[in-house]
Amino acid sequence: MLDITDVSLTPHRCTLIPFEAVRSKSWSLVHSRWMEHVAPKTLVRLAILIVPTTKAHAARLLGGVETPMRTVVPAVNLVHVPKPNLPKSTTQNLDRTVDAAQEKAAVLLAMQMGHLVAVVHPSGGVERHLDSGTPTTPRAASTSQAEPVLGKPTDAPPTGAVTKDGNCGASNGNTVCGNWPNGGCCSMYGSCGDTTAHCGDGCQSGPCLGPAVIPAPGPSPAPAAKVPGALKVVGQAGVPAMHAGLLPNGRVVFLDKVENYTQIKLGNGQFAYSAEYDPATNKAVGLGYKTNAFCSGGAFLADGRFVSIGGNAPLEFIDPTVGDGFTAIRYLSRSSTDASQNGKAWSEPGNKIASARWYASVQTMPDSTLFVASGSLNGLDPTVKKNNNPTYEILDAQGISSGKNVPMDILSKTQPYYMYPFIHLLNNGNLFVFASKSAQIFNVGTNAIVKELPDLPGDHRTYPNTGGSVLLPLRSSNGYAPDVIICGGGAYQDITSPTDASCGRMQPLAADPKWELDSMPEGRGMVEGTLLPDGTVIWVNGCNSGAQGFGVAKNPTLEVLIYDPAKPLGQRFTTGPSSGIARLYHSVAVLLLDGTLLIAGSNPVEQPVLKPVPNQTPSEDYVTEFRVEIYTPPYLSKGAARPTGITISSKSLKANGTKFNIKFTAPAGVKAVQVSLYHGGFVTHSLHMNHRMIVLDHTGFKANTAAQSLTVTMPPNHNVAHAGPYVIYVMADGVPGVGQFVSVT
């Protein structure tokens, strides 16, 4: 007998129930986020139900599996079929004992006919039919890689009944918040609270504020950069680039979810879901892993290992060798000096996090522990709070969990926009945490909110309407005062959602921190910012309409934006070149050692699509993208001369104000130099977790001199530069030499 406890369906439409779930003893277990949106119909004794869809979509879900079986399974509409009209042939073979292989073959055949399949085995009587609202039995973890799609909000007049669980509005019986502890405003997705995400745009009831008192600015034209830089396609990623990071060997790791197609197969015959890409050769090699890394978080450990934390459920009908990733921790070791590690698979010794986390953010702390926050418990509807994990936990410096989950106020209050929050380590050891539109300073050691910061005007900024957030370069000249910028976002999770052109910039430790508002030339969701060694920020990727999720974005934003934080407000953005490649959901950007920016990814579909399929819902207009581009920034254009012959006196550096020496040959007529200590972090979903850059003080520079010897001072503590692998970039008149990895210990 096969088990159905892992069943899940795509929201708002039916999709494939895994073959392992063909036989079931109880219909009451078949709860899913899709079923929550189906109105109750006539009770029926269900057996096997086939819901029509496109043949192409069915084939992609199956991964091209074929079967010789010739039985015809008729089409039935799952939502509207009344009991008297249930075709006899639908149940003719399932009321007797049928082995799993036969049932699987029947499902395969139905899929080949162009149908999506839902299978429920009768248990000897009339089974419970589809429920609207919250199911009364616990729902199982997802075994589909579909994602919850919140959809365009709907309005209904409140009834006056007061919520009993903090859920409210049209999707929760039209209840109101009353005196709910988190606040009396009912947000557009039915959560009670008092932030501008609750009381501002979309507020359904309560003390709604109406339009923002300080509206976010709309798009602002930006001039073309005098030297825009250039984009060029250079290679193939091998796998969809959902997650990425620059490894100490100078290569880029791509990490993806379980797919029914990638460009690389492993030695066991399965497709690779991770790859190591060498920018020197533009070739990728496959890397194996043991657990599904779908939408994980991550960081570098102090010892240089790259870790991926959390993920999603197994898809054994695609790959039985990959297990459950919800609580998994994956480790990847690479070295700048030991090439024997290159190409080796992820290590998964079995360490687990304290609770399931899908869409968790990770921040390295001054003591080298990892702060792991947020995530979904099961991949299901985040408007149903029992699916959510608004807590944090701590992993030690070796990446081992403490085993304790700690509730976190800002995550609880910002549901359903609590996943993948923006987190930055500040120079006093506290954290800047941002979710939805809200921000706070948080002390992990005392588990206390140090300061509530003003909400950022504009739309939602975190998943599923993520913009991008960057901690701007830290310098001793202002005491390493943190300066954070957040750009882009969107109104709601649907393909019709407008996107936000505005940016907010704040110094969170200022005496009276306020958002300074700026704007990009167009609204952009899924836009991500990457620091360059000269301190400018390159913004790439994203969409002008829609949100994160499968098939819910359109109008890709193709233009590179260059942001110079040192210029006056209103003059900071210029435009670079435009790509011919749509980079939507699951795209990445990573700075390489040579100072160029690698751009990869876009996989906005549940399983890979190699050619657009028009007129699909969700949309399949945009394909799975394997091409890798390199953006060459302005500082390397027109044959700019680099510093060369760079030697660093020690590759093991301490963040305690100690000094080290750098020698190099400067270009002729050099007028100024800069030394940047750069950490690229873990890149996914427009977040660059732990991304930071420190401009290091130095002495000994001699203008107009070729041979240079600098004495360089390290940051004063690990609040400014946490432990882990960094890259040293030497800049001569704004042009970087090739970076070298060092270890901050």
Side-chain angles (χ1 to χ4, degrees):
M1 297 288 288
L2 298 176
D3 188 9
I4 203 164
T5 57
D6 287 336
V7 166
S8 70
L9 296 174
T10 307
H12 306 295
R13 72 187 286 213
C14 189
T15 191
L16 177 66
I17 291 179
F19 301 133
E20 289 74 16
V22 170
R23 292 180 65 84
S24 169
K25 288 278 189 170
S26 173
W27 172 246
S28 63
L29 293 177
V30 192
H31 282 301
S32 70
R33 46 191 183 273
W34 177 74
M35 293 173 183
E36 292 180 41
H37 299 282
V38 181
K41 302 291 180 182
T42 306
L43 289 174
V44 294
R45 186 166 179 259
L46 299 173
I48 180 166
L49 303 175
I50 315 300
V51 180
T53 185
T54 67
K55 187 173 182 179
H57 189 258
R60 280 191 299 280
L61 284 173
L62 279 180
V65 177
E66 296 183 359
T67 175
M69 192 171 179
R70 295 189 296 272
T71 305
V72 176
V73 185
V76 177
N77 186 309
L78 176 59
V79 178
H80 298 293
V81 60
K83 182 178 180 181
N85 295 331
L86 190 67
K88 294 180 180 178
S89 57
T90 304
T91 61
Q92 62 184 1
N93 291 325
L94 291 181
D95 282 335
R96 60 183 175 82
T97 301
V98 180
D99 67 30
Q102 288 176 301
E103 289 185 331
K104 178 174 178 178
V107 174
L108 285 167
L109 175 66
M111 294 299 298
Q112 289 174 353
M113 294 168 57
H115 302 303
L116 291 177
V117 181
V119 182
V120 180
H121 192 274
S123 62
V126 174
E127 299 293 324
R128 181 180 179 187
H129 189 50
L130 310 179
D131 293 331
S132 62
T134 304
T136 57
T137 56
R139 285 176 294 177
S142 169
T143 57
S144 163
Q145 290 195 144
E147 301 195 32
V149 176
L150 301 178
K152 188 174 182 178
T154 57
D155 294 322
T159 63
V162 177
T163 182
K164 296 181 180 180
D165 59 5
N167 296 319
C168 57
S171 59
N172 295 285
N174 299 322
T175 52
V176 298
C177 295
N179 294 320
W180 189 254
N182 283 351
C185 294
C186 182
S187 74
M188 66 177 181
Y189 283 128
S191 180
C192 294
D194 59 5
T195 73
T196 56
H198 297 85
C199 302
D201 291 341
C203 179
Q204 298 186 57
S205 63
C208 300
L209 300 174
V213 176
I214 304 176
S220 299
K226 292 180 180 179
V227 182
L231 285 162
K232 182 181 179 181
V233 175
V234 296
Q236 299 282 316
V239 302
M242 179 184 292
H243 318 78
L246 180 68
L247 300 173
N249 60 3
R251 299 179 181 183
V252 175
V253 61
F254 298 129
L255 178 64
D256 189 34
K257 61 185 175 65
V258 173
E259 308 280 13
N260 62 19
Y261 172 77
T262 70
Q263 293 179 320
I264 303 174
K265 280 199 169 182
L266 300 173
N268 63 359
Q270 300 292 338
F271 287 110
Y273 315 122
S274 181
E276 185 174 348
Y277 183 88
D278 186 354
T281 63
N282 293 312
K283 303 295 183 182
V285 297
L287 307 176
Y289 68 42
K290 298 177 183 178
T291 56
N292 191 358
F294 184 20
C295 299
S296 62
F300 282 95
L301 295 177
D303 62 13
R305 285 179 293 166
F306 191 66
V307 294
S308 161
I309 299 169
N312 206 287
L315 296 182
E316 294 179 354
F317 64 98
I318 292 178
D319 187 343
T321 71
V322 175
D324 192 323
F326 271 111
T327 60
I329 309 175
R330 308 162 199 87
Y331 307 82
L332 191 67
S333 297
R334 293 295 185 268
S335 170
S336 60
T337 58
D338 181 6
S340 68
Q341 295 183 6
N342 296 350
K344 289 188 176 180
W346 290 80
S347 171
E348 298 183 59
N351 300 329
K352 302 292 184 182
I353 50 177
S355 57
R357 296 186 187 273
W358 185 53
Y359 287 99
S361 293
V362 183
Q363 174 62 54
T364 305
M365 299 300 295
D367 62 358
S368 299
T369 60
L370 300 184
F371 175 84
V372 182
S374 190
S376 169
L377 291 169
N378 50 27
L380 302 181
D381 185 351
T383 66
V384 179
K385 293 181 180 177
K386 68 180 180 180
N387 296 328
N388 301 343
N389 193 355
T391 70
Y392 69 87
E393 61 182 282
I394 302 296
L395 275 61
D396 68 17
Q398 297 301 312
I400 309 297
S401 176
S402 65
K404 182 180 179 181
N405 298 302
V406 183
M408 192 170 187
D409 177 76
I410 191 171
L411 301 180
S412 179
K413 287 183 177 180
T414 53
Q415 297 175 88
Y417 280 87
Y418 75 107
M419 291 184 280
Y420 272 161
F422 299 144
I423 305 175
H424 300 294
L425 176 64
L426 306 179
N427 65 340
N428 61 4
N430 292 330
L431 297 180
F432 170 89
V433 183
F434 184 99
S436 182
K437 306 178 184 184
S438 299
Q440 64 179 214
I441 299 172
F442 184 75
N443 186 300
V444 177
T446 61
N447 186 36
I449 300 169
V450 177
K451 190 171 189 176
E452 295 282 8
L453 299 170
D455 282 3
L456 176 58
D459 291 331
H460 299 284
R461 312 288 183 158
T462 52
Y463 180 86
N465 291 103
T466 299
S469 178
V470 177
L471 176 67
L472 295 173
L474 302 171
R475 304 170 187 270
S476 67
S477 58
N478 63 1
Y480 303 99
D483 195 349
V484 175
I485 183 170
I486 296 172
C487 289
Y492 48 85
Q493 192 188 19
D494 188 80
I495 199 167
T496 64
S497 173
T499 55
D500 203 319
S502 69
C503 301
R505 183 170 163 183
M506 172 188 279
Q507 295 182 12
L509 297 184
D512 185 20
K514 290 183 172 62
W515 291 106
E516 178 189 71
L517 299 178
D518 202 345
S519 62
M520 301 178 288
E522 60 185 333
R524 295 177 80 146
M526 298 180 282
V527 63
E528 61 183 286
T530 307
L531 286 164
L532 296 183
D534 65 356
T536 58
V537 182
I538 301 299
W539 299 90
V540 295
N541 304 339
C543 68
N544 186 243
S545 180
Q548 290 170 299
F550 294 131
V552 289
K554 60 183 179 180
N555 303 328
T557 45
L558 304 173
E559 196 169 51
V560 173
L561 297 180
I562 305 167
Y563 179 84
D564 187 344
K567 290 187 175 179
L569 179 64
Q571 301 177 30
R572 294 169 182 162
F573 280 106
T574 54
T575 61
S578 290
S579 175
I581 301 174
R583 303 285 187 185
L584 299 172
Y585 194 40
H586 296 149
S587 299
V588 296
V590 177
L591 186 72
L592 301 179
L593 290 177
D594 66 358
T596 63
L597 187 70
L598 179 148
I599 303 170
S602 194
N603 190 25
V605 286
E606 185 172 344
Q607 290 293 320
V609 173
L610 303 183
K611 294 182 179 179
V613 184
N615 304 315
Q616 299 297 300
T617 303
S619 169
E620 294 183 359
D621 291 343
Y622 298 99
V623 301
T624 303
E625 186 56 66
F626 290 96
R627 286 174 290 179
V628 174
E629 287 177 290
I630 292 294
Y631 172 62
T632 300
Y635 53 47
L636 291 176
S637 300
K638 297 183 179 180
R642 295 177 181 266
T644 58
I646 300 169
T647 60
I648 302 173
S649 60
S650 175
K651 296 295 182 72
S652 180
L653 304 172
K654 295 182 178 180
N656 61 0
T658 55
K659 301 180 187 300
F660 65 100
N661 181 261
I662 297 179
K663 294 182 179 180
F664 62 96
T665 300
V670 64
K671 297 179 176 59
V673 297
Q674 175 179 299
V675 180
S676 299
L677 183 66
Y678 188 100
H679 186 81
F682 183 100
V683 181
T684 188
H685 291 74
S686 304
L687 282 77
H688 290 220
M689 301 178 191
N690 289 287
H691 186 29
R692 65 201 296 113
M693 187 182 104
I694 304 100
V695 177
L696 300 181
D697 293 338
H698 61 82
T699 59
F701 169 68
K702 297 178 181 179
N704 301 306
T705 301
Q708 298 285 342
S709 179
L710 305 181
T711 299
V712 184
T713 303
M714 282 292 289
N717 53 53
H718 287 300
N719 298 341
V720 177
H722 59 72
Y726 286 73
V727 177
I728 293 281
Y729 290 101
V730 177
M731 312 282 295
D733 292 335
V735 180
V738 175
Q740 297 183 27
F741 265 98
V742 298
S743 176
V744 174
T745 63

